[in-house]
Amino acid sequence: MDWSFLDEALGYFVLYMGPSLREIPFRTEPPVGTRVRYGHDSRYRLEGNRVVFELLSEEEIAPLTEYRKDLERIGSEIDLASLPRNEQLAFWLNLHNVAIIEQIGLAYPVRQPRDILIDGVPLDEARFISVSGVAMSPHDIRTKIVYPNWSDPRVIYGFFRGDIGSPTLQELAFTGANVDFLLDLSASEFVNSLRGVERRGDALKISRIYEEARGFYFPGEFEGLKSHLRKLAGDEVAPILDRTSRIDADIYEYDITDLSNVDIMPARLEPCGLSFGLPPIPGTILNPECTHRPIHVPLLLQYYAEERARKVSKLIRTDRYGRVYVFPEGEEPTEVE
């Protein structure tokens, strides 16, 4: 299956944030003359990639709707079960994630994706997706299709849910060739982030996403889950697993994974020529004194860009920012069990 359109789309609106520093970010100071703080204030706000929903117009959301319908049509016209297992998994992961992004884009601005209703039903439970005449929700794709049919718990980390607490959305579409690699990447990022695993006293605090998957992959008193986490834990997280006596699955941040948390700061004229490589945003006041058309970036997004720049600078200093993807030609991809 050809996923080039989705690759291009993700490359356009996904902002890479790098791995977690496992530290609380410094708070951005409010503008001069006010005590009001705008934007994200979550302790996890610099973890996981961001989707620049602020920059997606109705004209840019419409192709995502058409693409989601195309995937539903393809899934109805071909025998998905006849595809290689990795191709099947890539299909369901991509369909789930495209549907989530599309519906959040249509509802934006919305502070928390769980507040989105489709015909009165919350987004995650709404059966607005149809394949082979079967209506299904994002939750159904996870718990009725993928979890029961794939035994590898890494599939948990392939599902983007639109909020900060979610596993990250990668800049590449899943394919039969890369799904094993991308799931490894997403799983490692999540487990080694504060929104995935944290220690508070003698308690191991873990994300709520594990509760949903527990019955499929981690039966019993979480010992299976600890074993799973150990396989993915880095130097900072591994010791935590042995120094805690109980597990609480109660970490989650429901705020949307955009850049601004849908806050709107008071408008102001931006300097001529200011650019972060982003297109103009509706509602920004154009400076009449500019002799050329600059790219205007609202002050709120500048603050987030500054926070991200500080994080990236530290990642670079500690050799944790750069990435190289190597997909050997001619080799059969590892099948996700």
Side-chain angles (χ1 to χ4, degrees):
M1 297 185 69
D2 182 2
W3 297 104
S4 56
F5 172 85
L6 185 54
D7 267 337
E8 182 178 350
L10 293 172
Y12 173 71
F13 55 68
V14 175
L15 178 65
Y16 177 61
M17 295 295 293
S20 172
L21 290 171
R22 293 195 62 81
E23 60 185 38
I24 309 303
F26 290 108
R27 297 190 68 182
T28 302
E29 291 301 316
V32 176
T34 179
R35 295 183 179 180
V36 179
R37 295 180 184 274
Y38 296 89
H40 286 288
D41 59 2
S42 167
R43 63 205 304 266
Y44 313 118
R45 66 182 179 273
L46 297 181
E47 293 192 346
N49 294 341
R50 288 287 172 270
V51 178
V52 291
F53 287 110
E54 294 90 341
L55 308 182
L56 298 182
S57 65
E58 291 182 8
E59 291 75 16
E60 290 162 320
I61 295 297
L64 287 177
T65 299
E66 291 303 313
Y67 191 67
R68 189 253 302 170
K69 292 179 179 179
D70 281 344
L71 292 181
E72 293 174 346
R73 176 182 55 78
I74 291 170
S76 301
E77 292 178 352
I78 68 174
D79 179 12
L80 288 175
S82 68
L83 296 177
R85 293 274 293 167
N86 277 11
E87 291 280 3
Q88 295 179 47
L89 179 58
F91 175 86
W92 291 115
L93 292 172
N94 289 331
L95 175 59
H96 176 283
N97 295 347
V98 166
I100 289 289
I101 297 166
E102 173 219 0
Q103 292 300 317
I104 294 176
L106 291 172
Y108 196 82
V110 58
R111 195 173 296 276
Q112 296 188 344
R114 64 177 177 172
D115 292 336
I116 297 173
L117 300 178
I118 300 177
D119 295 330
V121 180
L123 169 60
D124 197 46
E125 301 287 344
R127 290 178 171 161
F128 64 96
I129 304 165
S130 179
V131 178
S132 296
V134 179
M136 61 189 70
S137 66
H139 183 263
D140 289 334
I141 292 177
R142 297 193 304 272
T143 63
K144 294 183 178 181
I145 298 175
V146 174
Y147 292 173
N149 291 293
W150 275 268
S151 61
D152 190 331
R154 292 179 303 156
V155 299
I156 300 169
Y157 308 102
F159 291 112
F160 176 64
R161 306 176 190 221
D163 42 37
I164 291 176
S166 163
T168 197
L169 180 68
Q170 297 293 346
E171 303 154 280
L172 298 173
F174 290 102
T175 69
N178 73 20
V179 65
D180 176 70
F181 170 77
L182 289 186
L183 288 178
D184 241 0
L185 202 65
S186 295
S188 177
E189 187 279 332
F190 192 81
V191 170
N192 291 288
S193 70
L194 287 178
R195 73 191 194 286
V197 177
E198 190 174 1
R199 176 189 177 187
R200 296 179 193 170
D202 66 343
L204 180 66
K205 299 288 187 175
I206 60 173
S207 170
R208 293 182 188 273
I209 70 168
Y210 294 113
E211 277 291 356
E212 177 184 84
R214 182 179 176 183
F216 297 94
Y217 300 111
F218 316 116
E221 295 300 318
F222 283 111
E223 282 308 311
L225 175 55
K226 271 200 172 184
S227 175
H228 166 71
L229 296 176
R230 285 190 182 95
K231 295 177 183 177
L232 298 165
D235 292 341
E236 292 184 74
V237 173
I240 294 176
L241 303 177
D242 297 321
R243 296 173 185 169
T244 48
S245 58
R246 73 175 196 274
I247 296 181
D248 298 326
D250 58 5
I251 296 177
Y252 209 80
E253 175 57 77
Y254 292 99
D255 284 349
I256 188 171
T257 180
D258 67 354
L259 302 183
S260 63
N261 203 23
V262 303
D263 278 344
I264 300 176
M265 291 184 65
R268 73 166 212 176
L269 293 178
E270 302 295 347
C272 296
L274 181 66
S275 172
F276 279 91
L278 304 174
I281 296 179
T284 302
I285 299 176
L286 296 178
N287 192 336
E289 297 180 1
C290 293
T291 57
H292 62 286
R293 182 174 179 178
I295 295 177
H296 295 279
V297 179
L299 190 60
L300 181 57
L301 299 195
Q302 294 178 42
Y303 285 150
Y304 192 82
E306 290 169 5
E307 285 194 319
R308 178 182 179 273
R310 286 197 294 268
K311 174 185 176 180
V312 168
S313 177
K314 187 166 184 178
L315 287 170
I316 291 174
R317 291 197 306 270
T318 55
D319 294 325
R320 287 184 285 172
Y321 185 72
R323 297 176 300 167
V324 177
Y325 298 150
V326 179
F327 300 105
E329 294 185 8
E331 293 187 15
E332 286 295 319
T334 302
E335 183 174 285
V336 179
E337 295 181 0

